[in-house]
Structure formats: C-alpha cells, structure tokens
Amino acid sequence: MKSLLDSPRNRMYAIIACLLMALVLPILFGLNLYILTVLILMVIFIIYASSWNFLTYTGQGSLGHAAFFGLGGYISAMVASASGISPYITMLVGGGAAALVGLFIGVICVRLKEWFLAMVTFGFAIIIQTLMVSQFAGVTGGWDGIAAPRLISSAVPNYLLVEYYSIVLIAALVVLLFWLILRSRIGLAFAAIRENETEARAAGIDPVRYRLFAFVVSAYFSGVAGALEIHHLGYITPEIFSVDISFWPIIYSISGGLGTLAGPIVGTIVITVLWDGLQTLGITYARFIIIGLLLVLIIIFLPKGLISLPDRIRKYLEGRQKTS
Amino acid sequence: MAGGIDVILQVLIWGLYAGCIYILLAIGLNLIFGVMKVVNFAHGELLMLGAYITFTFYALSGFNPYVLLAASVPTLILAGVIIERLCFRPILGTGKLNEIFISIGLIYIIQNAAALIWTDEWRIIHSPYEKITLSIFGVNMPLDYLIIIITTILILIVLYLFLRKTRLGKAMRATSQNRKGAMLMGINVERMDMLSFGIGAGLAGAAGTLWVVSGQVFNPYMGSIPAIKAFAIVIIGGLGSIPGAIIGGLIYGIAENFAIFTLGGAWKDAVSFIILILVLIIRPTGIFGESAE
Amino acid sequence: MRKEFILLSLLCIGFALFAGCTEQQAATDELKIGVMASMTGPASTTGKDIWQSAVLAADEINADGGVYVADLGKKIPIRLIQGDDESTREGGQKAVSRLITQDNVDFLVGGFSSAVVSAHQSIVAEHKVPYIISGASSSAVSRRTDIDTSYMFFHRPNAEDSAEAIMLFIDREMRPALNEKYGFSADRPLRLAIIYQDTSYGTGQRNAVHDHIKNYGLNIDVVAEESFKMSESDFRTSLTSIKAANPDAVYTVTFLNELVPLVQQGRRDVGLDTIFFAIEPNDDPDYYKGVGTYGEYGVLQSRFSPYAAPKETEAAHAAFVQNFDKRWGGFPGMMGVATYEALYVGVQAVENAGTLDKVAVRDALNDLEIPQMIEVMEDGTIVFSDEFRESKFDLYLAQLRWDQDAGETRPVIIYPDSLKETDFVLPDWYKPGQG
C-alpha cells in the first residue's frame, strides 16, 4: 500500500489536484473579497516561507529575512512608479536588488556559527531599515513611504482573481525551480554540507560557495515575494522591515517541516487558517500564545513538522495493531 | 562643548547605571551558554517578567521596591528552571537552530501571557528616593542610580563567591569547561543545566526589578530590545567569557552614545549592529571567545 | 505527497467551514458600522480606546431609538463590527476586506497608524466605502494622489496643525514674555531645540516646525535637532547635546511612554531647566501620574484632556468622561473621543442622505456641517475641507501646574486667547538659553 502512495505518478496527481484546488477555491466562495485577500497574502507568504526554507537545506537560518522582503518591495515599487513598467517585470528587479544585498550579507555570514548568523541577519534588517529612512529618505519617502502601482489595475474585471491566479502561478514556478535545484547535483551538495561539513569538504565540495548560492537564491525570491505583497497592498512603508515579517516565515516553515518543499506550503496554510479562524472566534492575545505553544510543541515532539504527522499517526496505529 | 570633563564623567555615570541592567542580562546569558551551550533568545522576556512581578508586589504590599528583589529573583529562578525542563532539555543536542526557534515560540507565549494578565498599557512606579540627588565630585548622582550600581556589584560578588567557593559552583564551572569530563567525574550535568538556567533567569529578574525602581516605563514588549543588546554584548565580548561581557558592554555603550552624538538617535540600534558585524568579521568568535565552541 | 494532499484537502474543508461561519446574514434593518482598531499588537492600547468609544456612541444612539433612514421610513439600530488590524499592514487589509464583504458595512470609522492605514486604503478606495479616519495623522495618508480618496474623510488634526499651534504660541506669547523678563532685545530670536521620534509621526512634526517658521516668518532659531528610536527609554545623551546648544525651550515629539522618561531625565539628570513642549497624544492621566513633579510648568498641546476642558464644551466633555468611566472604567483617550465623534458624524450623514446608499452617504459627508461636540472645532462646526476632506480643529495649549490635592500636576489652558483660563508662567527655576 505504501509503495502505491509514493509512486511518482500518484505524486503527480496529488500535485495537480492541489493546484486545481487552489484554482477553484476562490470561485467556490463566489469571488468573496475577504477570502481572496486572505488567499493572496497566504500564497505570497508561501513564496516567502519557501524561500526562507531554502536556506535551511544548507543548515543555515536567518532571523532577518524582512531585509530582503522589504528591499524587493522598495526597489520594485520605485522602479515601477518611475518607469511605468508592469510590476510583474519590476519584481524581478526588486528580487535582483535583494539578491545583491543577500550576496553581500552572505559573504559575511557563511562562515559564522548559527547564533552569530541569527544575530547578524537580525541586525541587517535593522541596518537596512535605518538606511531606508535616513540616507535614502529622498527616494524612499522616509517614514511616510511611497505608493506602489497595483499588480493589476482595478479597471480590469475581477482584477483580484486575476492577481490571485498570477501569484499562484508564480508560487508554483518558484517551488518547481527549487525542486529542480534540489534534485540536481547542487541539492546533493547541500545535503552533504548539512549532514557533515568536513566530509563534504573532503569530497571536494566547497561549502562556502554552496551556502552563498543558497543565500542569494533565498534572498532573490524573498525579494520577489516582498514586491508582490507591496504591489498588492499598493503602498510601502518602512514597517515592512519589522520583526514580525522576519519571524512569520520561520513559524510557517517550522510548523510545516524544515528542509522539505511541502513543509512551508503546508505550514503557511495551516497557520493562516488557524490564525484567521481564531480571530473570527474572537480570540486575540491568546492567538499568539496558541501559535507560540504550537511552535514549541512541534519543535519538541514533531521535529519534522506537520507534514510528518500522518506518517507518525500511521506508525502509531501500525504499532498498536502489532501489539494487539 | 560646555562642561568638558564633568559632562564626560556625567555621561559615564549614566552609562554605568544603564550598563548594570545589560551586565546582569549578559552574564545570565553567558552562564547559560557556558554550561548548556544554548542561547536563550527569550531572555528579555524574563527581564519583563521580573519587572511585572516587582510591579505587582509593589502594588499589593507597598513595600520598598528594592526589597522586592527578594520576590522577583526566586520567582524567576523557578520560571527559569521550568522553562529549562519543559522547553530546552528535550531539544538539547538536536541542532542549534532549534534552540533559536524554540526561543521565538517562548517569546510569543510569554509576551502575550503577560499582556493577558497585566494588559499591555505602559506602567511606571515611583521609587521612594526619586527626588534625592547626591552630588559627588560635582557630578549629579540620583540616589536610585547609586543604589542600583551598588546592588549590581553586590549581586556580582555573591555570584563570584558562589562560582569560586562553593562545591556547586565549582561543579558548574567544571561542566562549563568540559561537559563530558564533568559527567565522568560524577557531576550531574542535567542538574547543572537546571541550575545555570535558574541563576541566569534570576539575574534577569533582578535586572527587571532594577529597571522598575529606576523609574523606567515598561510594558509586555519591553524585553526584546535590552535582550538583543545584551546578546550583542555577549557576542562582542565572546560567548562564555565574563570579562568579555564587561568589555563588550563598554564598547557597546560608547558606540551607541557616539552614534547618537554624530548620526542621531535613529542610528543607535543600527550602529551597534554594525559594530557587532565588524567584530565578527575580524574575529568570528568575539573578542574574548574561545576559538572552539 | 499523497498524505500531504489529504492534509491539504482537509485544510480546504476547514477553510470552507470557517468562511461559512463568518458569512453574515444580510439584514437590511441595521446600520452596520465597521470600526478599524488595533485590538492586538503594539498599538492595542489606542485600539481599545477607539473601539470602546465607538461602542459608547453606538449605545447612546441605539438607546435613543437608532438612526432614522428616510428610505426605510423608520429608525434602525446600529450594529458595530470590530476590525482588528493586529497593528500590522496585512492584518489591516484582511480586517478591512472582511468588514466590506463579509459584514457589508455601510461605513467605516477608526484607522490608527499611518503605516497600517496606507496599506488598506486602496481596497477601501476600490470598493467605495465611506471611511471616517479618526487616527492616522500623517498628511501622506490623507493627501494621496495615486488612489481615489474621495470616500475617505479625516477627523483628526494633521501634523502641520498641531505644530502650528505650538509654534505660533512660542513666537507670539513665549518669546515676548522671555525678552521682557530677562531684558533681552525685542528682536532676539527664540532658541528652540527639537527632539523627535524617528517615525512618520515624528519626522512629519519636525518638518512642520520648519515649514511654519518659514511660512509665518517666525523669529525662532532651531538650535538643535535630535531623533530617537520609537520606545526609547534613555534620552540622556541626546538631552546633553541639546543642553549644550543652550535652548530657550524644547519641542518634543513623543508618545507617552517616551515623554515620561524624557522629561524626568531632562530635568533631573541633565539639569535642563527649561520649558518642554509636548504634543497631544501625551495628554493622558498616565502622563500626569508618571512624570510627577518634573512635569511642572511643561506645556502640552491638546484637543482633549482628562483634566481640562475649554469652557464652550465643558458640559459635553464632562458627560463623555463620566459615561465612558461608567461603561468601561477609566479615562477615554484622544483617539477615542475622535472616533466617538466620527461615529456621530457618520450617523448624521446617513440621516441627511436618507438612505444607506454609499454614494449618497459620501455626498452627505461632503456637505455635512454639524456643531462641534467635545473637541473644539474651528468656527464651532465639524466640516470637511473641500480638497482633502480634513476637519479643522481649534487646538489649545495647557501648562501643567502642581495640584496639592491630587499629588500630581494638572493642566490649565493658556492658549489661544479664545479658550484660555490663565496666563503662561515662566517658573523661577527656568534658565533661558544663551548665545
């Protein structure tokens, strides 16, 4: 039975089914604005969390990805409003800017130990925010921020639905790209570095180069996600560099499952539904406590995240069958 | 500049007083790191809890707030032990990133639990000595600051004596130097973990009380900034090194104030991180850090 | 993958269930008002104030039978719906879109923090829902040109307005008083230092100070400018720089939690024996309690104070404060009172329009002219300006005096002439700047 579930063909069917569901979901709800807003933000955060998670394949982590998310947003917003080019193109420029800064930070960070890396990335988000509101205030509008052109003009009928589909498509392409990278030689090198750096080095793999590569790719797509969010919201302010924005992808990825492609996707969906669901039930502060508890419990009892839950349950049931 | 020497002296005294809180936090972090090789990113939340416990007991009893160190320190030691047993022990050795991530979970839990219990309005209490200012060598020194500095020194002396003179303290230092060796010597390292976390949390609780009596405002989110600064100080000085923490604190304080003078207060946090990054580029283990872990 | 697929489908079902739960029945015999407030997150103190004041207004109107809508030929009750923006941009957008489509609100009030409001303005603009914003004070929000803001009305003074009151006072009242008391020549410029929060709010105020000096040709020199990070608690170094610049007065742009330590450190630690000017969000019972004796003779710019009220709205002020205390316990704040008024303004517009139709309500808001309620308005009326739809307040300044009975300072209004209770005083310990 197990082999049946894991065959590539079935896996393909599952992915297609998921995508189809993503496509029909908003229609099922009668193009409801609230559902669409939640879905759009959710898919943007799927891209963002997946990019963050890409770092963990090389055993790195970051507490300051808001730096890239925000940079992508700012650069794309500035280029789009100055040139009038579609945000779908300028977001690539935004991602490029984030990747460039990512390369710079990466060069400093790749040799650092985990705690230092965490602090340095955290610090960079603050440094970049400070630069944006002081030295670059002339172009960024300082604390007042600047308007960003919408992804799709509201004159287009059902513009939010079109926007949603385009973002789903981008998310699918990003995840596909990550999948291609990870199944290539690069992915093997990542795994070798993560498992044992010394052995990897002995096998002729340069950990620094691969870590740097992961950092840049992660920064690039975080920047794209940030640009998408900003063009969706229509305005950007320096609050985009806040700690929350750095922490959400971590929470999403951990709860879904670190170091897997499906992890951040499942995590983002579960936490979003939980978060907004609890709010409709009128739970406020307790929501943060619930999320915090969930995070702690998952780290302790389910280190591979929620995606390992069905497996765990099946093993548990099998175990019980055997003993009975 | 008007003033010259006495202005510099004056700034130094303010730095000394502000440094007390950072030193208590940084040493707590260092102690925990030394023994467990764990970094508790949620340390600032313990500072915040210390502040609220002092505030609550003060509101209930009306005691002199300094006396309430006797309430905040034991409560926080208990809280530290509980956190260590429930959260950090189960994941010990499963990867450094996990420790950082579990701290994020703890931050959310503690902050919002505090907001539920005490609401998230800013609070302040007034010390009975608020209006007394001493003049020492022509420098103004509010009595409260003097008491805070003396209290911190006393706490550090007690801690020093504990680590150097008692069996328990020696066992802790042994664990910190060589965990496996200590285990072989028959030291219960798990108990040392609990103890170091408890003491670290207790020091944060003391910092919380001092924060409150100095007339600083506080709310449930106040802990994160001091904790990050304390952590940066620990990194600059080198993880696990107590003299490093003091030197790190000095560098940090000077850099921050220099930034305010030249670039403006908005750069305060950014400059301290720039320093941190520069230190790490030149010496990836911090100034006084051991070259290995 | 298959397992994940099952998980995903379960999630989708969960999604469907929770969306289904939130779907509201479209009841036509209610006036549905969405209140955008930060109920959680760092801005939640203000958010609660906004929500509680809105509830108070709705309860009062409902107790009176509700809102008369000519189209329906009857009075209908108000139902308030809370939109918690979680103090974040994403949370605000979700909350606003839920209010607009799930709850089908007839209009919106509230909206605090310029960053949060700017991120959900475009959705409001596209769905053309009237929105009376009583929080976000940045002109960058009210004067946006990239979206259609014709449905947004702003019932709050912007940064320029509050700076204007203080700057005119300093030039017209304080400067002559200073020159006379210390025998300075009449053309000596007043030396002003600015210390501001490094946020949209703070930089907006700082710019406004410079603009007013230039536009009014005020005889004021800005001798020092210092900024600080939001929620800063150690101002000693900045204050030392300021002291070295020898100012005659210090203009502070802070929130309550910053002003208390700032004034204490300035007066006690740094020995800055000068007049501290502060802006409206600080006029709160916690400020008087927190700052203690060091607040004495400081000047607060205000439009709603817990302990002072201009003569002309004294009765309304007292009633509001009393009712709020009875309903919720404690004092209402400035954002609360503005939201309370905004709710009445919106209700009046609905009654004038005689329909719940949003275009008609928008037009009614444009033409609206109602007498001031609790906060004193220019010409005694609440009316929205033609160009940016901002109402215009009569802001006042109060000086803090020691009150032996309260054991705290209390404000007395000293400016403008139309509202003042007493004269501005330069205390004995005051030291003017040199240079």
Side-chain angles (χ1 to χ4, degrees), chain B residues 165-225:
Chain B
K165 304 287 176 197
T166 65
R167 266 194 60 208
L168 215 55
K170 284 177 186 163
M172 247 176 92
R173 281 196 300 134
T175 316
S176 156
Q177 277 155 12
N178 187 340
R179 195 179 174 90
K180 273 195 192 121
M183 224 182 316
L184 291 174
M185 295 288 289
I187 293 171
N188 183 344
V189 291
E190 294 205 332
R191 199 198 283 164
M192 292 304 126
D193 289 349
M194 223 160 77
L195 194 66
S196 66
F197 216 104
I199 295 175
L203 291 175
T209 301
L210 298 183
W211 182 285
V212 171
V213 267
S214 67
Q216 301 264 48
V217 290
F218 53 98
N219 78 352
Y221 312 109
M222 59 83 102
S224 32
I225 293 174

Side-chain angles (χ1 to χ4, degrees), chain A residues 5 11 17-18 21 32-33 37 143-144 147 150 159 229 232-235 275-276 279-280 284-285, chain C residues 1-2 8 12 22 44 48 84 86 89-90 93-94 97-98 101-102 118 122 126 144 146 198 200:
Chain A
L5 287 178
R11 189 181 293 191
C18 285
M21 194 165 295
N32 179 303
L33 169 73
T37 309
W143 280 102
D144 282 342
R150 297 295 302 263
Y159 68 100
E229 191 201 43
H232 167 69
L233 296 178
Y235 204 85
W275 186 254
D276 291 307
Q279 186 178 44
T280 42
T284 54
Y285 292 103
Chain C
M1 265 305 166
R2 174 73 184 272
L8 269 183
C12 292
T22 58
S44 64
K48 275 177 211 135
D84 175 14
E86 306 165 18
R89 301 164 308 125
E90 292 85 1
Q93 207 195 30
K94 287 182 194 173
S97 46
R98 203 174 69 195
T101 51
Q102 304 300 102
S118 64
S122 63
E126 280 150 22
R144 269 178 84 169
D146 62 307
D198 186 38
S200 168

